[in-house]
Amino acid sequence: MIFNARDGSVPGVSWAWKKVLRFGVAFLFVMGFVVVLWPSVDPVKLPLETAVNMTITVGPDVPCELDHDKLAALKVLRVAQYTRREIVLDMTDDPVPYTQWLDEPFLQVPKGTEGAADGCSIPAPVSLRVPQPPKLADASHIDFGVATSVERLNESLNAFAHWAGYSRTRIFALIEPDESENGIRDVKAKADSLGINLHITESDDNYLNRYFALIPLLKENARESTQWGCIIDDDTFFLSMPRLVDALAEYDHTTSMYIGGLSESVPQIAAFGMIGFGGAGVFLSKPLLTELTDVYDKCSTMDFTGDRRIAICVYRYTKTRLTVDHRLRQLDLMHDASGFFESGREPSLTVHHWRSWFLADMPKLAVVAELCGDSCLLRKFHFGDGWILTNGFSVIKYHVDPDKDDLSMEQTWDSHNGANDESYLHELGPLRRKDEDKKSFQLVDAVHEPNDRITQWYVMRDEKNGDQILELSWRLR
């Protein structure tokens, strides 16, 4: 068949145990939630549909039986092509580049193999080499603060679980008063089931004041072992807690340090200043937390946005200045950030705006890490037939394939706030023009199967001719 496509726990505990603990506890919680707590929780407001009330058309070129309930969950109404392929992971202790170039094809049957019984599967599995997953991180020396609502906090927990679950870190949430009967109780129960050490405080203050009030909250709750307080947005996503712990170890936490990331867009910097942009994560050492708490009353009256108020307070009342860590990403990219994720560069520490300025389901992207660890996320595999898998994000084929030594990032996003092409070079360059004819399967869903497999579904949308679906099944050798 030719494809015709137009972390944590106690230090020393293995990453595998984290996976077992998380899924075991989460399963028990979900069962208890359904039986006991479900009536007290507001349903998630998503346009859920099933095959019962959807008419799904399967094209004549699809020779296999398909799960219509799954197609409905993927929001597929018409299927033009369906392809399945198995991926076998070989883990190695040797260094592995983030982008690997392979001779074998990906979406066409290798020569000499027989057709699959179901007609939709490529018979030969493909072997991919990935590094051994990092050891589980002890992040007990990092406290996180977030100002949000109980509803948004509940929505954020699945994303928080990837980096905060079983890692000994603490998250302090300062929320507006919760008027629901059991909202806080249910959110805490869900956090416990995911291994998240969550502490919730209610406040009548508006969002900007609650954001700045995270500073004394973190200071008051700091332990002797605390080194860093980090202020985040509820859509700040850390790709790897082990990498974050290693990154912070590069800095001297015993001195006053203010660490953050700039916006990728110069007009955003012009508008808000040389500050640590909050969505990227703002890290304050314990000595600086003490200094800022001492002048909290002075700074709390400032008429600035949350992250800008922190910066102005630091600059006016301390000798500390911003240390820019370019691995902390605000991601002020509009509508299509695929070029960033598909760049093949070493992944950033943080991702922001993934459910607002652009759409990239980070919890789904991270599911495959349950099999191969954080270090296999967003790894790029360039196959001999020109198809490129960016693990957890997309499978694409450029109209004009960049050279092997091309380091540029495809500029897929739209400009914002008067930005031009040069506005993004300081953080993301070198850049190249968007490939308007690029073929792209985007990740829509990923699940951890009972047989210790990860299944991903990538979909290429086509309203006119029907969608094409690529189902990848991952396992360890």
Side-chain angles (χ1 to χ4, degrees), residues 44-63:
V44 178
K45 296 178 176 60
L46 293 176
L48 298 179
E49 296 178 288
T50 66
V52 175
N53 55 22
M54 292 178 63
T55 301
I56 298 176
T57 304
V58 179
D61 294 329
V62 181

Side-chain angles (χ1 to χ4, degrees), residues 128-249:
L128 298 180
R129 193 164 56 103
V130 296
Q132 291 286 352
K135 293 181 179 180
L136 197 60
D138 178 2
S140 58
H141 59 299
I142 312 171
D143 289 334
F144 294 87
V146 58
T148 185
S149 66
V150 69
E151 293 84 4
R152 287 184 63 92
L153 181 59
N154 181 61
E155 294 170 359
S156 300
L157 288 181
N158 288 337
F160 287 177
H162 169 73
W163 52 270
Y166 304 101
S167 68
R168 286 186 167 184
T169 192
R170 298 182 297 173
I171 299 178
F172 293 90
L174 198 53
I175 67 170
E176 58 195 29
D178 175 36
E179 298 180 358
S180 63
E181 182 179 353
N182 299 308
I184 292 178
R185 185 198 70 180
D186 295 345
V187 168
K188 283 186 174 180
K190 181 178 179 181
D192 288 343
S193 76
L194 296 171
I196 301 172
N197 191 345
L198 177 65
H199 303 262
I200 299 177
T201 303
E202 294 179 86
S203 170
D204 291 324
D205 265 341
N206 61 37
Y207 172 76
L208 294 181
N209 288 335
R210 280 187 287 117
Y211 187 97
F212 192 67
L214 290 169
I215 291 176
L217 183 65
L218 291 172
K219 170 61 174 63
E220 292 164 6
N221 287 279
R223 300 174 288 199
E224 183 178 353
S225 61
T226 301
Q227 297 177 3
W228 301 96
C230 178
I231 296 178
I232 60 174
D233 289 351
D234 55 24
D235 62 343
T236 301
F237 187 89
F238 292 86
L239 284 163
S240 172
M241 182 59 83
R243 288 185 63 237
L244 176 63
V245 169
D246 290 344
L248 290 177

Side-chain angles (χ1 to χ4, degrees), residues 126-369:
V126 59
S127 295
L128 298 180
R129 193 164 56 103
V130 296
Q132 291 286 352
K135 293 181 179 180
L136 197 60
D138 178 2
S140 58
H141 59 299
I142 312 171
D143 289 334
F144 294 87
V146 58
T148 185
S149 66
V150 69
E151 293 84 4
R152 287 184 63 92
L153 181 59
N154 181 61
E155 294 170 359
S156 300
L157 288 181
N158 288 337
F160 287 177
H162 169 73
W163 52 270
Y166 304 101
S167 68
R168 286 186 167 184
T169 192
R170 298 182 297 173
I171 299 178
F172 293 90
L174 198 53
I175 67 170
E176 58 195 29
D178 175 36
E179 298 180 358
S180 63
E181 182 179 353
N182 299 308
I184 292 178
R185 185 198 70 180
D186 295 345
V187 168
K188 283 186 174 180
K190 181 178 179 181
D192 288 343
S193 76
L194 296 171
I196 301 172
N197 191 345
L198 177 65
H199 303 262
I200 299 177
T201 303
E202 294 179 86
S203 170
D204 291 324
D205 265 341
N206 61 37
Y207 172 76
L208 294 181
N209 288 335
R210 280 187 287 117
Y211 187 97
F212 192 67
L214 290 169
I215 291 176
L217 183 65
L218 291 172
K219 170 61 174 63
E220 292 164 6
N221 287 279
R223 300 174 288 199
E224 183 178 353
S225 61
T226 301
Q227 297 177 3
W228 301 96
C230 178
I231 296 178
I232 60 174
D233 289 351
D234 55 24
D235 62 343
T236 301
F237 187 89
F238 292 86
L239 284 163
S240 172
M241 182 59 83
R243 288 185 63 237
L244 176 63
V245 169
D246 290 344
L248 290 177
E250 300 170 10
Y251 301 106
D252 184 1
H253 66 88
T254 65
T255 62
S256 290
M257 293 214 68
Y258 167 42
I259 302 172
L262 298 174
S263 172
E264 292 76 17
S265 173
V266 168
Q268 291 293 96
I269 298 174
F272 297 103
M274 292 291 292
I275 67 172
F277 280 72
V282 176
F283 288 86
L284 310 171
S285 64
K286 188 194 285 189
L288 184 57
L289 281 174
T290 300
E291 287 189 74
L292 295 181
T293 300
D294 290 341
V295 295
Y296 174 77
D297 290 341
K298 295 179 181 179
C299 295
S300 61
T301 61
M302 294 177 178
D303 187 21
F304 296 113
T305 56
D307 47 10
R308 193 178 181 200
R309 186 183 295 179
I310 292 175
I312 300 302
C313 188
V314 170
Y315 297 156
R316 283 187 180 177
Y317 296 105
T318 79
K319 295 180 180 179
T320 304
R321 294 296 177 263
L322 175 66
T323 297
V324 177
D325 191 315
H326 298 279
R327 297 167 292 185
L328 300 173
R329 288 298 186 193
Q330 173 75 0
L331 286 194
D332 284 338
L333 308 178
M334 295 295 294
H335 303 139
D336 180 4
S338 61
F340 172 83
F341 290 98
E342 295 164 353
S343 67
R345 302 177 187 177
E346 184 173 347
S348 59
L349 291 174
T350 50
V351 168
H352 181 232
H353 283 150
W354 53 274
R355 57 184 184 183
S356 54
W357 288 36
F358 58 89
L359 297 180
D361 194 330
M362 299 309 296
K364 292 295 185 184
L365 182 150
V367 167
V368 73

